[in-house]
Amino acid sequence: YIIGRGILEALGIGVEVGEFDLATRANFATQKNGIIVDRRAGRISTEENKRIVEILRQNIKEIDDVKVSIYPGKEHRFVVIFTGEDLSDNLTDADPQKEGLPPKEAQAKDSSAARSQRIVNAFIKKAKEVLKDEPKANTILLRGFSVPPNIPKMSHLYKLTCGAFATYPMYKGLARLVGMEIVDCGSTLETQINTFKKQNKKFDFIFFHYKPTDSRGEDRDFEGKVKAIEEFDSVLPEILNENFDVVAITSDHSTPAKMGSHSWHPCPVAIRAKYEPKDEVSSFTEKEMRKG
């Protein structure tokens, strides 16, 4: 079952998504001469994001009897909820996924999404008109269209109390979707780890997410990514000292700084558990993990 990221982003910022809602994850972006030159609008500040979202809210409230709700996220990201009857998430992304390409419209994958296609593309056109004079965030990209999925909760499936310690909205949304309790742990690794040490005993299962390695990779900032890894490495002992039965460290994808995007490279996994036999691997790298 493929879940569009729109629902995860919406849940992650605390937006309730109902039966007649179509959610999408959105980026502010920079367009010049018909080409997307920055998919993240220079990673504008969250405060700037809020200002621009308010402008969109004042100018776009409804399209063809479909209500449009717009919510700011972090930095360049925001969420759009379309509310109306007969909406489908069977749409392609309205995002070229790479810089140096022209923008894309959403396309219906079948006839059930024809109305959604028309509504979404009309919204994009209106948003571009509203934002045309913005220096950086003068266009938008939409992707991950999704309606609310019917997913069983971890507490029902596995009889576990589950807690999520995450600072970035989408990962909070993912955790909410599967029934984890979202622990408010601030916006920095310091506040995240301090909250974790105080509250982890409440849960049988914990999801601890660290975002900066991915962000620095997307920015092609190799030195920044190294620093982000070292920052997490410095607090890892504080996690291990909590004496969990099992600790697994992994990622959802690779983001090489050389590429500046998500990639196909396999992700390393490290597991520490009482009954897990040791191997000869001594470094947490993709190459070393091939030996273990």
Side-chain angles (χ1 to χ4, degrees):
Y1 187 91
I2 297 175
I3 302 169
R5 285 189 162 196
I7 190 76
L8 305 181
E9 196 81 14
L11 293 175
I13 61 174
V15 176
E16 295 298 329
V17 184
E19 179 183 357
F20 298 104
D21 289 340
L22 171 65
T24 182
R25 191 183 198 204
N27 278 22
F28 287 115
T30 309
Q31 179 177 325
K32 289 184 180 179
N33 300 321
I35 298 296
I36 301 298
V37 297
D38 189 336
R39 291 183 62 252
R40 301 175 184 88
R43 285 194 186 276
I44 58 173
S45 70
T46 300
E47 287 305 311
E48 183 73 350
N49 178 324
K50 291 177 181 178
R51 179 188 70 81
I52 300 170
V53 162
E54 187 57 35
I55 293 172
L56 289 177
R57 282 177 171 171
Q58 294 302 319
N59 286 275
I60 312 174
K61 299 180 180 180
E62 186 176 285
I63 298 174
D64 291 351
D65 296 324
V66 171
K67 180 183 176 184
V68 179
S69 304
I70 310 167
Y71 303 91
K74 292 187 73 171
E75 298 176 331
H76 56 285
R77 291 211 170 101
F78 63 104
V79 170
V80 184
I81 306 291
F82 301 94
T83 305
E85 296 185 356
D86 300 322
L87 296 179
S88 168
D89 58 4
N90 207 14
L91 296 166
T92 62
D93 290 344
D95 181 350
Q97 300 292 345
K98 289 184 178 181
E99 285 146 4
L101 296 174
K104 294 177 66 175
E105 290 191 337
Q107 299 294 327
K109 296 179 182 179
D110 61 31
S111 59
S112 70
R115 182 168 188 252
S116 297
Q117 172 188 314
R118 188 175 70 254
I119 298 297
V120 165
N121 289 334
F123 170 73
I124 294 171
K125 184 177 180 180
K126 287 190 175 186
K128 285 182 177 181
E129 179 62 27
V130 170
L131 301 176
K132 64 181 180 181
D133 294 327
E134 289 290 332
K136 293 182 179 179
N138 62 1
T139 191
I140 63 170
L141 308 175
L142 305 182
R143 67 189 191 278
F145 296 99
S146 50
V147 296
N150 183 20
I151 293 181
K153 308 304 182 188
M154 288 181 70
S155 56
H156 297 156
L157 285 177
Y158 305 115
K159 312 304 178 187
L160 298 172
T161 58
C162 306
F165 294 79
T167 62
Y168 216 74
M170 201 202 75
Y171 307 96
K172 295 179 184 180
L174 173 65
R176 278 186 70 189
L177 193 64
V178 296
M180 296 186 196
E181 179 182 329
I182 310 302
V183 181
D184 183 3
C185 51
S187 59
T188 68
L189 181 59
E190 181 181 8
T191 59
Q192 192 179 8
I193 198 72
N194 288 339
T195 306
F196 163 80
K197 289 192 291 186
K198 292 176 183 176
Q199 299 198 39
N200 75 78
K201 296 294 191 297
K202 294 166 51 180
F203 306 104
D204 303 314
F205 177 95
I206 285 170
F207 169 50
F208 188 104
H209 183 267
Y210 181 63
K211 176 68 175 175
T213 48
D214 180 47
S215 299
R216 300 293 78 77
E218 290 175 338
D219 292 343
R220 298 179 183 267
D221 181 1
F222 179 80
E223 294 300 327
K225 184 166 184 176
V226 170
K227 185 177 179 180
I229 294 171
E230 291 173 342
E231 181 184 35
F232 179 77
D233 197 41
S234 71
V235 303
L236 179 57
E238 298 182 59
I239 295 174
L240 298 179
N241 286 342
E242 295 296 313
N243 294 317
F244 291 101
D245 294 329
V246 179
V247 176
I249 303 174
T250 187
S251 58
D252 53 348
H253 54 74
S254 292
T255 314
K258 185 178 289 187
M259 293 179 63
S261 64
H262 300 174
S263 74
W264 63 90
H265 299 93
C267 301
V269 181
I271 298 173
R272 190 183 81 164
K274 182 178 179 180
Y275 301 109
E276 184 68 21
K278 293 184 178 180
D279 55 30
E280 301 304 313
V281 177
S282 59
S283 300
F284 189 66
T285 68
E286 288 84 352
K287 289 182 179 179
E288 279 295 303
M289 288 290 159
R290 293 172 184 168
K291 305 174 185 176

Tab-separated table of all heavy atoms in Angstrom, residues 119-146:
chain	number	residue	atom	x	y	z
A	119	ILE	N	-8.771	20.676	-10.094
A	119	ILE	CA	-8.741	21.518	-8.901
A	119	ILE	C	-7.297	21.851	-8.512
A	119	ILE	O	-6.945	23.002	-8.231
A	119	ILE	CB	-9.449	20.821	-7.723
A	119	ILE	CG1	-10.924	20.558	-8.040
A	119	ILE	CG2	-9.299	21.626	-6.439
A	119	ILE	CD1	-11.759	21.769	-8.261
A	120	VAL	N	-6.461	20.832	-8.460
A	120	VAL	CA	-5.068	21.009	-8.036
A	120	VAL	C	-4.327	21.950	-8.983
A	120	VAL	O	-3.628	22.873	-8.550
A	120	VAL	CB	-4.356	19.641	-7.954
A	120	VAL	CG1	-2.838	19.819	-7.872
A	120	VAL	CG2	-4.871	18.851	-6.759
A	121	ASN	N	-4.473	21.748	-10.278
A	121	ASN	CA	-3.755	22.595	-11.232
A	121	ASN	C	-4.273	24.031	-11.242
A	121	ASN	O	-3.509	24.977	-11.456
A	121	ASN	CB	-3.816	21.970	-12.626
A	121	ASN	CG	-2.967	20.715	-12.720
A	121	ASN	OD1	-1.998	20.548	-11.988
A	121	ASN	ND2	-3.332	19.815	-13.626
A	122	ALA	N	-5.561	24.183	-10.967
A	122	ALA	CA	-6.108	25.541	-10.843
A	122	ALA	C	-5.518	26.238	-9.618
A	122	ALA	O	-5.217	27.444	-9.650
A	122	ALA	CB	-7.628	25.483	-10.742
A	123	PHE	N	-5.326	25.487	-8.543
A	123	PHE	CA	-4.724	26.046	-7.332
A	123	PHE	C	-3.278	26.474	-7.602
A	123	PHE	O	-2.852	27.563	-7.202
A	123	PHE	CB	-4.767	25.024	-6.193
A	123	PHE	CG	-3.959	25.436	-4.997
A	123	PHE	CD1	-4.395	26.448	-4.162
A	123	PHE	CD2	-2.741	24.823	-4.718
A	123	PHE	CE1	-3.638	26.845	-3.058
A	123	PHE	CE2	-1.985	25.195	-3.631
A	123	PHE	CZ	-2.432	26.224	-2.793
A	124	ILE	N	-2.526	25.628	-8.281
A	124	ILE	CA	-1.135	25.958	-8.598
A	124	ILE	C	-1.065	27.245	-9.425
A	124	ILE	O	-0.241	28.133	-9.171
A	124	ILE	CB	-0.459	24.797	-9.351
A	124	ILE	CG1	-0.333	23.574	-8.440
A	124	ILE	CG2	0.921	25.218	-9.866
A	124	ILE	CD1	0.133	22.317	-9.158
A	125	LYS	N	-1.939	27.350	-10.419
A	125	LYS	CA	-1.948	28.534	-11.289
A	125	LYS	C	-2.248	29.797	-10.488
A	125	LYS	O	-1.582	30.836	-10.656
A	125	LYS	CB	-2.985	28.342	-12.398
A	125	LYS	CG	-3.016	29.481	-13.413
A	125	LYS	CD	-4.020	29.195	-14.524
A	125	LYS	CE	-4.057	30.335	-15.544
A	125	LYS	NZ	-5.039	30.053	-16.620
A	126	LYS	N	-3.232	29.707	-9.581
A	126	LYS	CA	-3.592	30.866	-8.761
A	126	LYS	C	-2.461	31.227	-7.806
A	126	LYS	O	-2.157	32.410	-7.585
A	126	LYS	CB	-4.873	30.582	-7.977
A	126	LYS	CG	-6.125	30.581	-8.831
A	126	LYS	CD	-7.369	30.534	-7.958
A	126	LYS	CE	-8.644	30.648	-8.793
A	126	LYS	NZ	-9.851	30.735	-7.955
A	127	ALA	N	-1.833	30.199	-7.217
A	127	ALA	CA	-0.746	30.448	-6.268
A	127	ALA	C	0.424	31.149	-6.955
A	127	ALA	O	1.023	32.086	-6.404
A	127	ALA	CB	-0.290	29.132	-5.643
A	128	LYS	N	0.757	30.726	-8.154
A	128	LYS	CA	1.855	31.368	-8.895
A	128	LYS	C	1.551	32.842	-9.154
A	128	LYS	O	2.442	33.697	-9.078
A	128	LYS	CB	2.088	30.643	-10.214
A	128	LYS	CG	2.788	29.299	-10.084
A	128	LYS	CD	3.018	28.687	-11.460
A	128	LYS	CE	3.772	27.384	-11.367
A	128	LYS	NZ	4.023	26.778	-12.712
A	129	GLU	N	0.321	33.135	-9.481
A	129	GLU	CA	-0.068	34.515	-9.741
A	129	GLU	C	0.070	35.355	-8.466
A	129	GLU	O	0.581	36.481	-8.499
A	129	GLU	CB	-1.506	34.565	-10.251
A	129	GLU	CG	-2.032	35.967	-10.538
A	129	GLU	CD	-1.245	36.690	-11.629
A	129	GLU	OE1	-0.658	36.021	-12.506
A	129	GLU	OE2	-1.216	37.939	-11.600
A	130	VAL	N	-0.359	34.781	-7.339
A	130	VAL	CA	-0.284	35.494	-6.061
A	130	VAL	C	1.169	35.739	-5.654
A	130	VAL	O	1.504	36.788	-5.097
A	130	VAL	CB	-1.026	34.690	-4.969
A	130	VAL	CG1	-0.764	35.287	-3.579
A	130	VAL	CG2	-2.523	34.654	-5.255
A	131	LEU	N	2.046	34.779	-5.936
A	131	LEU	CA	3.431	34.828	-5.456
A	131	LEU	C	4.420	35.407	-6.460
A	131	LEU	O	5.626	35.434	-6.193
A	131	LEU	CB	3.895	33.406	-5.091
A	131	LEU	CG	3.097	32.672	-4.018
A	131	LEU	CD1	3.626	31.257	-3.853
A	131	LEU	CD2	3.147	33.414	-2.690
A	132	LYS	N	3.975	35.897	-7.585
A	132	LYS	CA	4.869	36.267	-8.683
A	132	LYS	C	5.903	37.320	-8.312
A	132	LYS	O	6.978	37.386	-8.918
A	132	LYS	CB	4.052	36.725	-9.893
A	132	LYS	CG	3.240	37.988	-9.650
A	132	LYS	CD	2.433	38.354	-10.889
A	132	LYS	CE	1.615	39.622	-10.661
A	132	LYS	NZ	0.815	39.970	-11.851
A	133	ASP	N	5.627	38.156	-7.312
A	133	ASP	CA	6.564	39.210	-6.941
A	133	ASP	C	7.458	38.840	-5.759
A	133	ASP	O	8.276	39.659	-5.312
A	133	ASP	CB	5.805	40.503	-6.609
A	133	ASP	CG	5.107	41.079	-7.837
A	133	ASP	OD1	5.649	40.931	-8.950
A	133	ASP	OD2	4.006	41.641	-7.680
A	134	GLU	N	7.295	37.621	-5.232
A	134	GLU	CA	8.165	37.176	-4.137
A	134	GLU	C	9.582	36.947	-4.676
A	134	GLU	O	9.755	36.332	-5.731
A	134	GLU	CB	7.637	35.887	-3.520
A	134	GLU	CG	6.366	36.046	-2.713
A	134	GLU	CD	6.603	36.813	-1.417
A	134	GLU	OE1	7.733	36.763	-0.885
A	134	GLU	OE2	5.655	37.460	-0.934
A	135	PRO	N	10.618	37.394	-3.963
A	135	PRO	CA	11.991	37.247	-4.473
A	135	PRO	C	12.482	35.805	-4.553
A	135	PRO	O	13.247	35.461	-5.458
A	135	PRO	CB	12.820	38.055	-3.465
A	135	PRO	CG	11.989	38.113	-2.230
A	135	PRO	CD	10.570	38.130	-2.696
A	136	LYS	N	12.074	34.959	-3.617
A	136	LYS	CA	12.517	33.566	-3.619
A	136	LYS	C	11.355	32.598	-3.820
A	136	LYS	O	11.397	31.748	-4.705
A	136	LYS	CB	13.238	33.233	-2.308
A	136	LYS	CG	14.557	33.948	-2.115
A	136	LYS	CD	15.221	33.510	-0.813
A	136	LYS	CE	16.562	34.201	-0.623
A	136	LYS	NZ	17.207	33.804	0.659
A	137	ALA	N	10.341	32.709	-2.985
A	137	ALA	CA	9.219	31.769	-3.019
A	137	ALA	C	8.166	32.242	-4.006
A	137	ALA	O	7.055	32.621	-3.636
A	137	ALA	CB	8.623	31.617	-1.620
A	138	ASN	N	8.503	32.202	-5.306
A	138	ASN	CA	7.574	32.728	-6.310
A	138	ASN	C	6.794	31.639	-7.038
A	138	ASN	O	6.074	31.915	-7.993
A	138	ASN	CB	8.321	33.603	-7.317
A	138	ASN	CG	9.379	32.837	-8.102
A	138	ASN	OD1	9.559	31.633	-7.923
A	138	ASN	ND2	10.083	33.545	-8.967
A	139	THR	N	6.929	30.380	-6.576
A	139	THR	CA	6.112	29.309	-7.131
A	139	THR	C	5.985	28.203	-6.086
A	139	THR	O	6.592	28.281	-5.003
A	139	THR	CB	6.712	28.761	-8.441
A	139	THR	OG1	5.746	27.900	-9.071
A	139	THR	CG2	7.986	27.970	-8.179
A	140	ILE	N	5.194	27.189	-6.397
A	140	ILE	CA	4.991	26.084	-5.458
A	140	ILE	C	5.115	24.754	-6.196
A	140	ILE	O	4.874	24.662	-7.401
A	140	ILE	CB	3.616	26.162	-4.764
A	140	ILE	CG1	2.479	26.028	-5.776
A	140	ILE	CG2	3.488	27.445	-3.959
A	140	ILE	CD1	1.105	25.865	-5.145
A	141	LEU	N	5.492	23.738	-5.446
A	141	LEU	CA	5.559	22.363	-5.956
A	141	LEU	C	4.725	21.493	-5.027
A	141	LEU	O	4.829	21.608	-3.802
A	141	LEU	CB	7.011	21.869	-5.973
A	141	LEU	CG	8.041	22.758	-6.677
A	141	LEU	CD1	9.437	22.199	-6.488
A	141	LEU	CD2	7.710	22.909	-8.158
A	142	LEU	N	3.890	20.636	-5.615
A	142	LEU	CA	3.016	19.767	-4.816
A	142	LEU	C	3.346	18.313	-5.110
A	142	LEU	O	3.525	17.925	-6.254
A	142	LEU	CB	1.546	20.031	-5.137
A	142	LEU	CG	1.024	21.473	-5.015
A	142	LEU	CD1	-0.470	21.505	-5.323
A	142	LEU	CD2	1.292	22.042	-3.631
A	143	ARG	N	3.366	17.496	-4.054
A	143	ARG	CA	3.609	16.071	-4.257
A	143	ARG	C	3.050	15.271	-3.099
A	143	ARG	O	2.734	15.808	-2.042
A	143	ARG	CB	5.101	15.785	-4.415
A	143	ARG	CG	5.952	16.028	-3.198
A	143	ARG	CD	7.437	15.902	-3.576
A	143	ARG	NE	8.324	15.864	-2.432
A	143	ARG	CZ	8.748	16.941	-1.778
A	143	ARG	NH1	8.303	18.124	-2.121
A	143	ARG	NH2	9.590	16.819	-0.774
A	144	GLY	N	2.953	13.969	-3.305
A	144	GLY	CA	2.479	13.091	-2.234
A	144	GLY	C	1.001	13.257	-1.944
A	144	GLY	O	0.577	13.247	-0.779
A	145	PHE	N	0.179	13.379	-2.974
A	145	PHE	CA	-1.265	13.515	-2.773
A	145	PHE	C	-1.796	12.277	-2.052
A	145	PHE	O	-1.439	11.142	-2.389
A	145	PHE	CB	-1.975	13.676	-4.120
A	145	PHE	CG	-1.598	14.932	-4.841
A	145	PHE	CD1	-0.640	14.914	-5.856
A	145	PHE	CD2	-2.182	16.148	-4.512
A	145	PHE	CE1	-0.279	16.079	-6.517
A	145	PHE	CE2	-1.830	17.318	-5.174
A	145	PHE	CZ	-0.869	17.282	-6.179
A	146	SER	N	-2.648	12.500	-1.056
A	146	SER	CA	-3.146	11.345	-0.300
A	146	SER	C	-4.448	11.648	0.419
A	146	SER	O	-4.666	12.754	0.915
A	146	SER	CB	-2.090	10.867	0.711
A	146	SER	OG	-1.606	11.944	1.476
